Amino acid sequence: MSTSHAPGDEHSVDGRPDPGLPLPEQRLTSGPATSEGAGAVGRLAGTVYRLRDQLQRAQAEAEGRALVDLASGILVERLRCSPVEAAAQLESLAAQAGLSTLELAADLVNQATRDDIAELARGFVAEAGQPARASVGLRLRSAEAGALAAGDAPAVAQSMLQHALAPLGAVAVAIWAAHGDQSLSLAGSAGFGDEEPARWRHVPPGVPTPARQALDNRATTRYDTLAGAGLPSIGLRELSGGRIAVPAGTGGRIVGVLEICWAEALPAQSQSIERQVQVLAELCAIALESHPLGEHDPRAKRPADPRLTELLDLTDGLNDPCLVLQPLLDAADTPADFVIRHVNTSFVDFAGRPRNMIAGALLLDAYPLVAEPGGLFDKVEHVLATGEPFRAERMRLAAVVDTVPLTTQAQVSISRQGAHVLVVLRLEDGTPKVARLLQHAQRLGRIGGFEENLITGDIVWNDTLFDLHGLPPTAEPVPLDQLAAHVHPDDAHSIGRFLRSLLHHHRPASTAFRLQRADSVARHIRVVAEPVLDENARVTSVRGAYQDVSAQHWTEVALAATRDQLAQSQQETAERNRLALRLQHAIMPPSHGPVDLHNLSVAVRYRPAEKDHLVGGDWYDAVALPSGQVLLCVGDVAGHGIEAATGMVALRNALRGLATTGAGPAQLLAWLNTVTHHLTDNVTATAVCGLYDPASRRLRWARAGHLPPVLLRGGKAAALPKVSGILLGAVGQAVYEEGDTQLETGDTLLMYTDGLIERRDRSVQDSLESLLQVARAPRQLGREGHLEDQLDHLLRYTNADTDDDTCLIGVTVR
């Protein structure tokens, strides 16, 4: 079988579609040839290979469609067109650029986003030139689309290998899930033999594999050859070449490892390739978080014991959270702990942790507070020993979130099932959300929780609170009655009032103070606390939280210091808006006409935006050229303000100058597109350009992403047939189609911007049809057939609801 390569490809994997090719060019393999002697078995094998290839192709096409849909959505937003028109524009642009539709879609998504893949693709363009764009941008975007659309981690691994890693020479990939007990499980793999994933489904703690080394070092680990490293890992017998293991994590927490395999020695790794690998590791982390391991976790694998298999199937069918516990016996055959053998699909950890962090962990490691007397551990141990089931309508459960205890109430049902114990929990609503909110609030808000027992003197601080005070976690917490010694002397009275409210008046209290730390770093702190009373109304403890409000304090100081500067800036902004409005009115007065140009009467209406700060970039022009023709044009620069107004002036003047060359409207728009793309600062615009010949009454016209002109003739109104043309400035080079219309005496041609018809609640096509109905409707004119009355009628009765500018040109043939 022969394969083709996209630009920049150096490697390919036999039997897999080349990820650099557009989808229509990928070919199906029919599997190994079967001889006539193979009989029914041979035909069956051929069918299996054919169906497998069809499945792979269908998956690749689905991933490609997702990428094309993203790009089409971007064009819908930018061009303000329908999805069908956006798809046609995408195919047209791809043909002009000499790329496949899929390659151009990846490029457009990269331009529109600011994520790691987009930055990496832009870096390749800068370093290696245009051909690398399609290769890197398409591969990584295709891998991303496949990972997000995949139903499980093995499909994610296959997508990454096919789209992103095979072109780098890699032949296999493994995605490892990390667990709290230091073990690893194989969540997904691709490129290995059929037996390897089963042999490596679980790696116990302490086995020094490449993935384990990457986790321990919390950094990317490379091996020129796996054989030379002397480490065991998946595929060692088949693939002893180079290996890269990359930790995969989200939100600062590592959840697994991406391991990439080469058949030969590890190739030279450039910085750009390293960044590609990092991006893929992030996709792995998202996949591990999005697809709970469940059946892919080896510790949750269905065992050979049919009774345990039935138990696990039963728990997965329950709507309540369930844990299957396996006793871990000590030398005296008593349970020292329980392994959480399985958590069902409905399981939600009330401390907010993902399921893969709970499955496989020890019960006391995951929930250390269950060991309290009479707690869950005692009940589980009793049920295991006696076989008597346990039921409780309300049982207290506790966990530790960032060293702060979190408690909830739950209905609990515990029963012995053979050698295992089944725990069914029905938690109070909202508890897991509260735990996650607590974790994120403490981290993002720099909040440190505390609880001080006034009777025993015991003080509990979380890690954040030690950090706020500038103390190591091993230091002694600061009691409340000694807090005044650690604050600025001017704030000591505030601490006194705070403690009196708490301890003497038994009321919740709060105050702000300046903390003087031992490292001489000053912090602005706010403390909130409440007293805990016993049955005799005596204060037994105080609990609360400290929050570092230094950033808020200095922000308020900075805002106060710059208030005058802000007022001045607001004044300058208002002046810029007034300048833009004056510039706009100087170039295009709101009312103009009628003006006679040869045998044409031209009138203009310009309706500015309702708000001065929304000064837009609508523009028009009607001028007689030295060639004897009349230039008629209207356009709309994206955006508002002085930038849009100056962009409007630049494009209007550029088109006037270009029109003196005698070129046709399609060529004029092609030149104007080049000017917009290269000579203006991130400007995009739409436009319609027409050249009218007075002698023949012939109108040649072209459009760049703009609505077509409307022709009024004999009491009827119709839009001119659309011609293709992308908006100005979207790409460096573009080709525009030209239309040709024969006008007659009495005809009126309308050219306008979208502010005339655009509505938020309907499509552009529906809005255009509404305009045609208004134009056809009979009306009473102040002067029979007068052009200006026609324009005023359209402005009055079209029902646009946006704040955009409106520009309307009417041209009547005499």
Side-chain angles (χ1 to χ4, degrees):
M1 183 185 78
S2 63
T3 57
S4 302
H5 293 270
D9 280 350
E10 297 178 359
H11 301 278
S12 162
V13 179
D14 288 342
R16 299 188 183 92
D18 190 329
L21 282 176
L23 290 176
E25 295 181 27
Q26 293 178 349
R27 294 171 172 81
L28 294 176
T29 59
S30 59
T34 57
S35 64
E36 296 181 359
V41 175
R43 289 193 297 274
L44 178 60
T47 300
V48 170
Y49 277 106
R50 184 171 63 257
L51 292 177
R52 182 193 63 186
D53 289 337
Q54 290 174 356
L55 179 61
Q56 292 176 349
R57 180 175 177 81
Q59 181 179 357
E61 289 177 348
E63 296 166 0
R65 282 196 300 271
L67 199 54
V68 171
D69 288 344
L70 281 175
S72 297
I74 293 170
L75 290 181
V76 168
E77 188 273 333
R78 289 186 176 179
L79 306 184
R80 299 178 182 178
C81 61
S82 68
V84 174
E85 292 174 320
Q89 287 281 11
L90 189 63
E91 293 181 0
S92 175
L93 285 173
Q96 295 176 28
L99 299 173
S100 70
T101 303
L102 194 60
E103 288 171 330
L104 182 62
D107 196 24
L108 286 177
V109 174
N110 288 334
Q111 292 179 12
T113 56
R114 294 293 184 270
D115 59 5
D116 291 340
I117 295 178
E119 293 297 328
L120 184 57
R122 280 190 284 271
F124 264 85
V125 172
E127 295 172 9
Q130 196 73 4
R133 175 194 63 187
S135 175
V136 174
L138 172 60
R139 290 168 183 164
L140 292 181
R141 284 295 173 199
S142 298
E144 179 188 41
L148 296 180
D152 52 27
V156 173
Q158 181 62 47
S159 177
M160 288 185 179
L161 179 62
Q162 174 182 336
H163 293 298
L165 293 174
L168 301 180
V171 296
V173 62
I175 299 176
W176 301 95
H179 302 286
D181 62 352
Q182 303 299 309
S183 67
L184 295 169
S185 59
L186 185 63
S189 63
F192 298 103
D194 294 338
E195 297 180 357
E196 282 297 287
R199 292 180 60 246
W200 286 90
R201 63 179 182 270
H202 178 58
V203 179
V207 178
T209 63
R212 181 76 261 163
Q213 299 295 322
L215 280 176
D216 291 342
N217 298 330
R218 301 181 67 86
T220 301
T221 306
R222 300 172 182 80
Y223 302 95
D224 289 337
T225 62
L226 186 62
L231 296 177
S233 189
I234 182 173
L236 175 61
R237 299 177 181 178
E238 308 168 355
L239 304 171
S240 59
R243 295 283 173 113
I244 293 181
V246 190
T250 58
R253 180 171 55 85
I254 295 177
V255 297
V257 178
L258 172 65
E259 185 173 350
I260 308 168
C261 312
W262 279 260
E264 306 297 335
L266 191 67
Q269 300 295 305
S270 66
Q271 184 177 2
S272 57
I273 292 179
E274 292 181 6
R275 292 179 60 197
Q276 289 184 64
V277 172
Q278 291 294 336
V279 168
L280 295 175
E282 293 176 9
L283 293 180
C284 282
I286 295 173
L288 289 172
E289 291 285 1
S290 303
H291 308 302
L293 296 179
E295 65 273 13
H296 303 297
D297 186 344
R299 290 164 296 183
K301 285 282 182 181
R302 298 297 187 257
D305 184 354
R307 292 174 298 177
L308 182 54
T309 301
E310 292 175 0
L311 174 61
L312 300 186
D313 289 336
L314 172 65
T315 59
D316 284 338
L318 297 178
N319 292 325
D320 291 326
C322 300
L323 300 93
V324 177
L325 306 180
Q326 178 178 338
L328 190 63
L329 304 178
D330 58 17
D333 284 339
T334 58
D337 204 342
F338 291 86
V339 177
I340 302 176
R341 181 68 183 271
H342 180 69
V343 294
N344 68 345
T345 54
S346 301
F347 179 81
V348 177
D349 175 47
F350 70 91
R353 293 166 295 189
R355 289 171 52 216
N356 62 302
M357 292 188 64
I358 304 301
L362 297 178
L363 181 62
L364 292 179
D365 286 345
Y367 302 102
L369 298 184
V370 301
E372 62 186 357
L376 183 65
F377 191 92
D378 282 353
K379 304 303 181 185
V380 170
E381 192 175 29
H382 178 78
V383 169
L384 177 67
T386 65
E388 300 174 358
F390 172 81
R391 303 284 189 276
E393 287 299 318
R394 289 179 62 84
M395 184 175 185
R396 178 180 176 273
L397 299 179
V400 177
V401 180
D402 195 14
T403 73
V404 175
L406 177 71
T407 61
T408 187
Q409 299 290 330
Q411 289 186 14
V412 178
S413 173
I414 308 175
S415 60
R416 188 174 71 187
Q417 305 291 334
H420 296 77
V421 177
L422 175 63
V423 180
V424 182
L425 307 171
R426 181 170 293 175
L427 299 170
E428 290 185 341
D429 293 338
T431 303
K433 294 182 180 179
V434 171
R436 286 192 291 270
L437 288 174
L438 176 60
Q439 289 175 316
H440 294 310
Q442 290 178 340
R443 177 176 56 86
L444 298 177
R446 292 185 58 78
I447 299 174
F450 73 91
E451 183 170 352
E452 180 173 343
N453 190 312
L454 301 181
I455 297 176
T456 64
D458 294 334
I459 303 175
V460 177
W461 278 12
N462 70 350
D463 293 340
T464 305
L465 194 48
F466 283 99
D467 182 59
L468 291 183
H469 281 259
L471 299 174
T474 57
E476 290 293 331
V478 177
L480 286 173
D481 59 5
Q482 299 179 19
L483 183 59
H486 296 268
V487 305
H488 192 279
D490 294 343
D491 296 335
H493 64 285
S494 299
I495 299 300
R497 288 197 301 268
F498 169 72
L499 294 178
R500 281 195 296 274
S501 295
L502 280 174
L503 305 179
H504 296 287
H505 300 296
H506 299 176
R507 293 197 303 262
S510 65
T511 190
F513 60 91
R514 286 162 289 181
L515 178 66
Q516 292 185 322
R517 307 194 324 180
D519 56 7
S520 300
V521 175
R523 292 286 185 187
H524 290 262
I525 303 294
R526 183 170 185 82
V527 59
V528 181
E530 64 178 2
V532 178
L533 308 178
D534 62 11
E535 62 276 6
N536 298 319
R538 293 180 303 180
V539 179
T540 59
S541 62
V542 175
R543 60 193 175 199
Y546 292 85
Q547 182 178 17
D548 186 348
V549 294
S550 301
Q552 177 184 347
H553 169 79
W554 291 116
T555 299
E556 293 173 353
V557 171
L559 287 175
T562 58
R563 187 172 292 112
D564 292 339
Q565 295 180 3
L566 179 60
Q568 181 180 357
S569 175
Q570 292 173 338
Q571 183 178 358
E572 292 175 352
T573 300
E575 184 61 32
R576 281 169 56 89
N577 291 335
R578 286 192 294 270
L579 174 61
L581 190 60
R582 288 196 297 268
L583 176 62
Q584 189 181 61
H585 287 175
I587 300 298
M588 294 172 300
S591 179
H592 191 294
V595 174
D596 293 333
L597 295 174
H598 298 290
N599 57 355
L600 295 180
S601 291
V602 182
V604 174
R605 289 294 183 269
Y606 186 85
R607 182 173 61 194
E610 295 182 4
K611 300 178 181 178
D612 289 344
H613 71 276
L614 293 180
V615 173
D618 291 20
W619 54 278
Y620 63 86
D621 205 358
V623 61
L625 299 176
S627 63
Q629 299 183 94
V630 177
L631 172 68
L632 301 170
C633 58
V634 65
D636 184 0
V637 176
H640 297 88
I642 190 67
E643 291 80 7
T646 54
M648 167 267 294
V649 173
L651 295 186
R652 183 174 184 266
N653 292 339
L655 186 56
R656 270 198 176 190
L658 293 170
T660 61
T661 62
Q667 182 61 63
L668 292 178
L669 287 185
W671 287 338
L672 191 62
N673 173 74
T674 302
V675 171
T676 308
H677 185 77
H678 294 289
L679 301 184
T680 57
D681 185 15
N682 297 323
V683 168
T684 57
T686 64
V688 169
C689 175
L691 288 177
Y692 173 75
D693 183 6
S696 63
R697 289 186 168 85
R698 177 190 176 201
L699 175 71
R700 298 163 58 201
W701 67 285
R703 72 183 189 101
H706 202 89
L707 295 169
V710 170
L711 178 62
L712 308 181
R713 175 181 292 172
K716 298 180 179 180
L720 296 185
K722 278 188 178 181
V723 293
S724 63
I726 192 172
L727 82 169
L728 302 173
V731 294
Q733 300 290 332
V735 176
Y736 294 89
E737 186 180 353
E738 191 170 293
D740 196 324
T741 302
Q742 183 64 47
L743 300 181
E744 302 173 1
T745 301
D747 285 351
T748 296
L749 188 71
L750 302 177
M751 303 170 70
Y752 52 94
T753 57
D754 55 8
L756 178 68
I757 65 171
E758 189 176 35
R759 288 189 61 86
R760 299 181 179 91
D761 59 351
R762 65 177 59 177
S763 67
V764 174
Q765 187 61 40
D766 290 341
S767 298
L768 178 58
E769 183 59 35
S770 177
L771 171 65
L772 297 179
Q773 292 177 1
V774 173
R776 299 185 194 113
R779 54 195 177 277
Q780 295 294 327
L781 302 178
R783 290 157 288 180
E784 183 64 28
H786 197 279
L787 179 59
E788 290 190 279
D789 288 336
Q790 288 180 312
L791 300 188
D792 291 337
H793 175 82
L794 290 172
L795 284 177
R796 185 177 302 115
Y797 290 102
T798 51
N799 55 353
D801 65 354
T802 65
D803 294 326
D804 206 358
D805 290 11
T806 299
C807 181
L808 174 62
I809 297 180
V811 180
T812 298
V813 181
R814 297 197 309 272

